[in-house]
Amino acid sequence: MTADPFREGRLPEAFFAPGNSSFTDFLAAHAAHLLPGRSLPTGAAGVAGAAVPELPHATTIVAATFDGGVVMGGDRRATMGNYIAHREMEKVYPADDYSAVGISGTVGPAIEMIRLFQVELEHYEKIEGALMSLEGKANRLATMLRGNLPMAMQGLAVVPLYAGYDLDRNVGRIFSYDISGARYEEHSYHSTGSGSLFAKGSLKKRWRPGLSADETVSVVLESLQDAADDDSATGGSDAGRRIYPVIVVVTAEGYRRLTQDETEAAFRALTERGDAR
Amino acid sequence: MSMPFYVPPEQQMKDRADYARRNIARGRPVIVLGYDNGIAFVAENASRSLHKISEIYDRIAFAAAGRYNEFENLRVAGVRYADLRGYSYDRSDVTARGLANAYAQILGNVFTQDSKPMEVELAVAQVGETPETDQIYRLTYDGSVADEQGFVVMGGQADAIATGMQERWRPGLTLSAALTLAVEMLSRDSGNGSGGNGTDTPGGRTLTSDRLEVAVLDRARPRRAFRRLGGQLLEALLAPDDPTTDVPSSDDSRPGKHDTLTGEQAPETPVPPAPAPGDPVSSEPDQQPGHPEGEGA
């Protein structure tokens, strides 16, 4: 009965509730079982230290601002302990036309959360006929994370990184979160996930104000390479299989994902400079 | 002393139908019509913000005539229905047919059970891969659904306009020809509705583009096919001597919402170009989790 709204021969009240443009609220009222983070494994609820099976984890996400926008990149590796679960994972997605969201943490709930977040933003836009502000979008994501807290307490944590172009201020901005849904605005650059320690060290030395979009892409790619060098859960660029990090650029013109060829070219340039190590 | 007296069901239904029909005819008309590269929606609407035409989902849009508060309610329910379906299953599982059935249920139930029928008429359209696969459904106040070929006219003196459309509409019109035809048909409507007794002077009114609400479902756009048309672009499409016959393939470059095409270039903004030019900026978030972009590995 997942999406059969015709049980009573006409759409239920929730479909006609006036004045609410949130898809998440609508889901909660009409089909709560579809919300991420509500389906706790039986027997584990409330049991401290209940065993969560080993699940794939997504690792390093990096974001950095430049004059006129923001760049986000993510490696392609998902791990289950020592085991490489997936080599071509996508961790960076468009949230809407003007923002990107990257995920580290448990893959399952993270992907579900992003799907809902994308629908949430587009739903608002269609109902209201206007774009939500970047602050508003960042807050919606925080609310979703709070909904995932019970799962996070059992080890199914999701840690997103959110970056977008603020149409009111004309700058790129970065927001990081903790598992409880607290929202922190980051300046200049930020990284999350197991390789973030090394990525941040790299960014600290390489990022500076006034970089161009191209230079920022290069800096982000290099920081991911540095993370992959020292963190086994972060995958480096794989020229043999032509698997490169997902890199996206968000500017006043919108969200754009670099093509594989563009990322490859940026990686080659890095190698030739001797910086890809 | 009030004696309840017996009213035969035929009479009851007829009264309701008359009531709904009369009130719908009082509104300004709306025309939905197919053209070679999509489906066009043209409404006479002096308001900039109270829309009669709206996006529902990626390839699906909605047009309505009648009472604004009632069809706005139905529009919101439709968006919720479509988004819920797309979220539970997949985006490709949302269809105009499903939505039309949902609307038919609501309208039919209200017509037979509630104290007053809904004073609205709706069209739900879905643009397909080819003109042959385009779908336009028409829903009336009593919940009947019709699968229409080519065009739908609602509100005002819909029958008179439909007769005119029957003679003039044909498959394969360009967008500018389709819009020109629709606007000509709308301007024949006396604006008094069939309930009034205004004199119908063919071509007697000129509808300027500021009194029109125009939108398209553009077959060529990747995911969200719905775009409103305005400004210079709409003027050019409606001008008989202008060579513009269709909408441009790229959106306005002005930062902000990408749902309106005006054909006007944004003033130069000091924005550095995106890295490695060559690809057009994709303003469509076409990347869904679990659907990695096929980049030809």
Side-chain angles (χ1 to χ4, degrees):
Chain A
M1 70 125 270
T2 291
D4 174 31
F6 297 121
R7 274 160 309 158
E8 299 124 51
R10 73 163 76 167
L11 294 178
E13 279 312 299
F15 282 83
F16 298 97
N20 191 339
S21 28
S22 164
F23 182 72
T24 313
D25 293 358
F26 164 69
L27 265 193
H30 172 67
H33 60 283
L34 291 176
L35 285 172
R38 304 300 146 100
S39 45
L40 293 175
T42 45
V47 181
V52 171
E54 187 99 66
L55 289 168
H57 274 251
T59 44
T60 314
I61 303 290
V62 173
T65 58
F66 61 94
D67 293 341
V70 62
V71 175
M72 186 181 275
D75 77 301
R76 306 293 293 272
R77 180 172 291 180
T79 53
M80 275 169 42
N82 303 335
Y83 174 69
I84 294 174
H86 202 54
R87 252 183 261 286
E88 293 184 70
M89 158 128 203
E90 310 257 340
K91 302 177 193 175
V92 179
Y93 292 97
D96 66 351
D97 283 356
Y98 287 100
S99 62
V101 57
I103 44 166
S104 35
T106 319
V107 174
I111 294 284
E112 210 178 0
M113 193 178 293
I114 291 189
R115 276 192 76 213
L116 182 58
F117 189 47
Q118 287 176 325
V119 177
E120 172 86 14
L121 299 186
E122 193 175 295
H123 187 81
Y124 178 95
E125 187 192 323
K126 285 191 290 198
I127 299 232
E128 295 287 320
L131 295 174
M132 206 186 294
S133 65
L134 188 66
E135 291 272 353
K137 294 187 266 194
N139 288 339
R140 289 310 304 178
L141 188 55
T143 309
M144 284 185 192
L145 272 171
R146 264 198 298 284
N148 192 59
L149 189 57
M151 299 257 281
M153 299 308 287
Q154 296 178 72
L156 301 176
V158 178
V159 187
L161 188 60
Y162 184 56
Y165 185 80
D166 189 326
L167 288 160
D168 301 320
R169 300 194 200 172
N170 299 320
V171 291
R173 297 170 70 188
I174 301 171
F175 298 92
S176 69
Y177 299 84
D178 63 27
I179 58 165
S180 70
R183 195 198 88 178
Y184 310 86
E185 177 155 7
E186 305 290 346
H187 294 285
S188 313
Y189 58 81
H190 193 67
S191 173
T192 59
S194 61
S196 60
L197 213 62
F198 311 107
K200 271 192 256 190
S202 171
L203 286 161
K204 196 172 200 157
K205 294 295 175 219
R206 289 291 188 197
W207 186 91
R208 57 181 195 280
L211 290 176
S212 72
D214 277 352
E215 289 164 331
T216 313
V217 166
S218 179
V219 163
V220 164
L221 197 58
E222 189 178 344
S223 71
L224 283 168
Q225 200 59 31
D226 287 334
D229 241 6
D230 292 316
D231 171 39
S232 63
T234 305
S237 290
D238 183 342
R241 292 197 186 83
R242 296 194 73 208
I243 299 172
Y244 297 98
V246 174
I247 308 267
V248 307
V249 182
V250 187
T251 63
E253 296 182 324
Y255 172 101
R256 195 176 85 88
R257 173 178 165 153
L258 268 62
T259 63
Q260 190 183 34
D261 291 348
E262 289 172 324
T263 320
E264 187 165 55
F267 176 70
R268 288 244 170 86
L270 216 58
T271 321
E272 279 155 23
R273 286 210 318 261
D275 283 331
R277 54 186 159 77
Chain B
M1 123 172 183
S2 62
M3 277 282 288
F5 51 91
Y6 174 75
V7 181
E10 292 86 352
Q11 184 61 42
Q12 232 174 32
M13 290 302 148
K14 188 179 171 305
D15 288 352
R16 286 184 179 196
D18 287 347
Y19 170 84
R21 254 202 302 268
R22 238 193 342 266
N23 288 333
I24 293 164
R26 280 223 295 265
R28 300 285 192 190
V30 183
I31 300 179
V32 181
L33 70 169
Y35 66 98
D36 56 359
N37 296 324
I39 298 171
F41 302 78
V42 186
E44 187 183 345
N45 187 352
S47 168
R48 285 257 155 271
S49 53
L50 303 175
H51 297 302
K52 296 179 174 184
I53 301 165
S54 281
E55 173 184 30
I56 297 279
Y57 209 64
D58 297 353
R59 324 293 289 173
I60 302 172
F62 156 107
R67 267 177 94 94
Y68 176 80
N69 67 320
E70 290 183 350
F71 67 67
E72 171 64 12
N73 223 335
L74 289 168
R75 178 187 77 92
V76 169
V79 171
R80 286 173 178 161
Y81 168 88
D83 277 341
L84 174 64
R85 234 189 131 70
Y87 179 71
S88 323
Y89 301 112
D90 181 69
R91 299 197 79 87
S92 58
D93 296 314
V94 182
T95 61
R97 193 176 50 83
L99 184 66
N101 282 331
Y103 281 145
Q105 295 255 13
I106 299 164
L107 290 164
N109 269 306
V110 170
F111 184 74
T112 51
Q113 292 165 18
D114 289 16
S115 53
K116 154 187 124 41
M118 283 186 137
E119 299 153 57
V120 296
E121 204 163 303
L122 311 178
V124 175
Q126 176 172 353
V127 70
E129 295 282 313
T130 59
E132 293 72 47
T133 51
D134 286 349
Q135 294 167 30
I136 307 177
Y137 296 95
R138 176 200 192 130
L139 294 125
T140 49
Y141 53 85
D142 60 353
S144 354
V145 196
D147 180 359
E148 301 282 356
Q149 294 304 315
F151 62 86
V152 165
V153 184
M154 305 178 294
Q157 293 163 308
D159 293 346
I161 299 177
T163 309
M165 289 288 291
Q166 201 80 51
E167 290 163 13
R168 306 267 304 277
W169 183 88
R170 56 181 203 288
L173 292 173
T174 63
L175 177 59
S176 80
L179 294 182
T180 306
L181 170 62
V183 171
E184 185 189 328
M185 291 295 162
L186 288 178
S187 49
R188 285 188 186 183
D189 190 87
S190 59
N192 294 332
S194 54
N197 45 14
T199 46
D200 190 3
T201 47
R205 298 188 311 145
T206 38
L207 277 179
T208 48
S209 57
D210 61 333
R211 290 194 55 83
L212 291 169
E213 183 184 354
V214 180
V216 293
L217 282 171
D218 179 4
R219 206 186 310 288
R221 288 179 194 270
R223 187 171 71 86
R224 291 169 80 180
F226 183 85
R227 294 291 184 281
R228 298 184 182 281
L229 308 185
Q232 289 171 10
L233 177 64
L234 182 56
E235 299 282 357
L237 286 165
L238 290 172
D241 48 3
D242 192 288
T244 312
T245 58
D246 201 351
V247 294
S249 59
S250 59
D251 292 343
D252 287 14
S253 51
R254 192 184 49 248
K257 214 163 167 280
H258 287 278
D259 74 330
T260 306
L261 303 173
T262 60
E264 286 147 37
Q265 285 306 307
E268 286 304 306
T269 42
V271 174
D279 268 33
V281 171
S282 158
S283 62
E284 290 286 301
D286 47 7
Q287 216 187 322
Q288 291 279 316
H291 296 262
E293 265 186 287
E295 278 195 0

